[in-house]
Amino acid sequence: MLNIILMGPPGAGKGTQAKRIIDGFNLPHISTGDMFREAIAAGTPLGLEAKAIIERGDLVPDEITIGLVKERLSKDDCKDGYLLDGFPRTIPQAEALKAMGPEIGRPVNLVIDITVPDEVLIERIAGRRVCPKCGASYHVKNMKPKAEGVCDRCGGELVHRKDDNEESFIVRLENYYTSTQPLVDFYKKEGLYHHFDGMVGYEPLYEAICELLKEHR
Ligand SMILES: [Zn+2]
């Protein structure tokens, strides 16, 4: 059973690992953003409700997000496992996920948390440059484009995103830890928590995650 929650702060390399895991183990990637878009496009009752709330400019309440997760995890493509990304974010959401597990027959059995020291995350993010045209991402020291300030892929002009500066990133990071630390404790208590060191490099990290997943497949 590979019913997985993937956690990690911004800049830890979670996106890269998520992509490798879903390709390598043929799992659906369930991110809350995509889930909202799909439910709204499909016009499900919860999707329509969410749409009205988003259009009003209000925050989608927990019951709806939880309902959507339940709807999504009940779908056929999740019967052999799933990779949940960006959910749960709070203890009430984690409790709700635990409660729906037996009901839909697909309880979470692995929580993967990728961590990287703060100073490394800050360096990665502060040096990040992105191409607004194609979405490619570079780093002023670790992944330089061939010509300074120009995208290798499409020739677009690289920019330093506003919320990638050190001060606002530290705030994002603090918010992340404040909201996820209770989740770490929750899943440790549940015996589902697995910690991975994001400093080992992308390839060794994926191999380590693979080993855990193969044990549980
Ligand atoms: Zn580009």
Side-chain angles (χ1 to χ4, degrees), residues 107-122:
V108 169
N109 71 319
L110 291 171
V111 176
I112 293 174
D113 188 17
I114 302 170
T115 63
V116 168
D118 288 356
E119 57 276 18
V120 178
L121 292 175
I122 291 164

Side-chain angles (χ1 to χ4, degrees), residues 130-138 150-158:
V130 294
C131 171
K133 264 166 87 183
C134 75
S137 167
Y138 301 87
V150 181
C151 179
D152 291 349
R153 230 200 268 169
C154 74
E157 193 183 333
L158 302 181

